Amino acid sequence: MIVYHDQQFLGEWLCDRIKLIPTPELRCIGRVRDGNLIGVVGYDAWNGSSCQMHYASNGERWINREFLFHAFWFPFNNGYKVLIGFVPGNNKKAIKLNQHLGFSKLAEIPDAHPDGKLILMTMSKDSCRWIKKGFPHGTI
């Protein structure tokens, strides 16, 4: 089940896991299975054309096509053209997942993260295959 309600709880859950300081404009989408929150995608740094995207899970398999549709439909349906993600250079698993989802590496910023470099990744609305496929179970 996809949840949008209780933004404070979703935001705290996400921020605790990725060590992000929440901003007032942080908006989140969560995935619940068997009554338990298993993953959250959050968005902030909205500027009218782009926003930053963050995600975390509880370690379970949490991504499915329905959740991906919602995760990308939410910002792109609200007029945003580009999603931005910053990934620590040593987080190979997140870099690989982002690339699989359709993000591209745009830059590497040396010494921009406590563990070393920071990778700047982006995805444009035009390149997002998840919303092009449409909602997996009919209309939204």
Side-chain angles (χ1 to χ4, degrees):
M1 174 170 55
I2 309 301
V3 296
Y4 290 85
H5 64 281
D6 201 350
Q7 287 292 306
Q8 182 173 345
F9 175 75
L10 293 173
E12 288 173 0
W13 193 94
L14 172 68
C15 291
D16 284 348
R17 281 158 181 77
I18 64 171
K19 298 179 178 30
L20 179 71
I21 297 171
T23 60
E25 71 268 9
L26 180 66
R27 297 294 174 265
C28 298
I29 298 171
R31 177 152 182 240
V32 173
R33 181 189 302 137
D34 300 325
N36 297 311
L37 188 59
I38 61 171
V40 172
V41 173
Y43 316 87
D44 65 0
W46 306 89
N47 72 10
S49 188
S50 67
C51 66
Q52 289 185 28
M53 183 178 186
H54 316 275
Y55 61 81
S57 77
N58 68 351
E60 294 181 41
R61 288 186 57 119
W62 64 287
I63 297 176
N64 65 11
R65 213 172 130 211
E66 178 183 14
F67 190 73
L68 288 171
F69 174 82
H70 283 271
F72 292 107
W73 178 85
F74 179 72
F76 290 140
N77 186 59
N78 283 296
Y80 292 86
K81 299 173 188 167
V82 178
L83 294 175
I84 299 169
F86 290 100
V87 183
N90 66 346
N91 192 341
K92 303 299 183 201
K93 189 174 179 180
I95 293 167
K96 184 177 177 179
L97 174 59
N98 281 359
Q99 289 176 317
H100 175 73
L101 293 175
F103 282 85
S104 299
K105 283 187 187 180
L106 188 62
E108 294 185 9
I109 308 166
D111 301 320
H113 189 271
D115 296 329
K117 66 184 171 186
L118 200 57
I119 308 295
L120 170 61
M121 304 186 84
T122 62
M123 179 192 295
S124 69
K125 180 178 182 177
D126 292 339
S127 70
C128 181
R129 69 181 185 264
W130 305 105
I131 58 173
K132 287 179 183 176
K133 289 181 179 181
F135 187 66
H137 302 295
T139 60
I140 191 164

